[in-house]
Amino acid sequence: MYDKNNVFAKIIAGEIAAERLYEDDSIIAIKDIKPEAILHILVIPKKNYIDFADFTKKATTEEIAHYFKTIASIAKANGADEYRIVSNKGTSSGQSVFHFHTHILSGSINQELINKNL
Ligand code: AMP
């Protein structure tokens, strides 16, 4: 069951501060508080999905398409042209916040891309 007191629900509600890099009607992206790469962004749908399986089961095809296209554009807008995307599902796989999210991890940042704001 979805726990409404998780940290990302509080960030989405504005109850906990986070460095927001992107926001639209259905998604926010924030900087990870404990970065594991030079660039470490979390892309979080605003709706209450527990994990990847819950998201793919309940979200519409349009929502899922928008989410993954937005991950790509957020990576690009933050200067990452090479990166890894990860979504941990379940405690034994490393999930610690039970509100679905995807990590963007990049070891190299292309400053020219950032400057052009592409
Ligand atoms: P996961 O372990 O895959 O569920 O990812 C949860 C991520 O959320 C971890 O990488 C944490 O560092 C990150 N995190 C936890 N609390 C915050 C917060 N208040 N602001 C930003 N990132 C956070």
Side-chain angles (χ1 to χ4, degrees):
M1 205 164 67
Y2 182 81
D3 172 13
K4 285 185 177 156
N5 290 316
N6 74 76
V7 65
F8 294 165
K10 289 183 177 169
I11 287 172
I12 291 162
E15 292 164 17
I16 292 180
E19 194 174 339
R20 291 185 188 220
L21 300 173
Y22 174 86
E23 179 161 14
D24 67 23
D25 288 348
S26 62
I27 294 168
I28 64 165
I30 62 172
K31 281 204 175 169
D32 197 291
I33 205 167
K34 272 174 63 183
E36 289 179 19
I38 292 172
L39 184 73
H40 188 166
I41 298 172
L42 301 168
V43 186
I44 310 169
K46 289 182 178 175
K47 282 193 188 168
N48 296 347
Y49 302 114
I50 299 169
D51 56 27
F52 178 74
D54 194 39
F55 176 64
T56 52
K57 187 174 169 193
K58 294 181 184 158
T60 64
T61 305
E62 289 74 20
E63 219 177 313
I64 293 168
H66 173 65
Y67 180 70
F68 283 101
K69 282 174 177 283
T70 302
I71 290 175
S73 60
I74 290 168
K76 196 171 181 185
N78 285 277
D81 47 12
E82 295 185 355
Y83 52 88
R84 194 156 60 96
I85 61 168
V86 175
S87 184
N88 299 317
K89 188 224 177 285
T91 310
S92 69
S93 296
Q95 185 173 8
S96 61
V97 178
F98 290 84
H99 179 118
F100 172 56
H101 54 281
T102 300
H103 300 253
I104 303 173
L105 298 139
S106 183
S108 67
I109 298 177
N110 183 337
Q111 193 62 45
E112 271 180 45
L113 269 179
I114 297 173
N115 293 342
K116 283 186 202 155
N117 202 20
L118 289 174

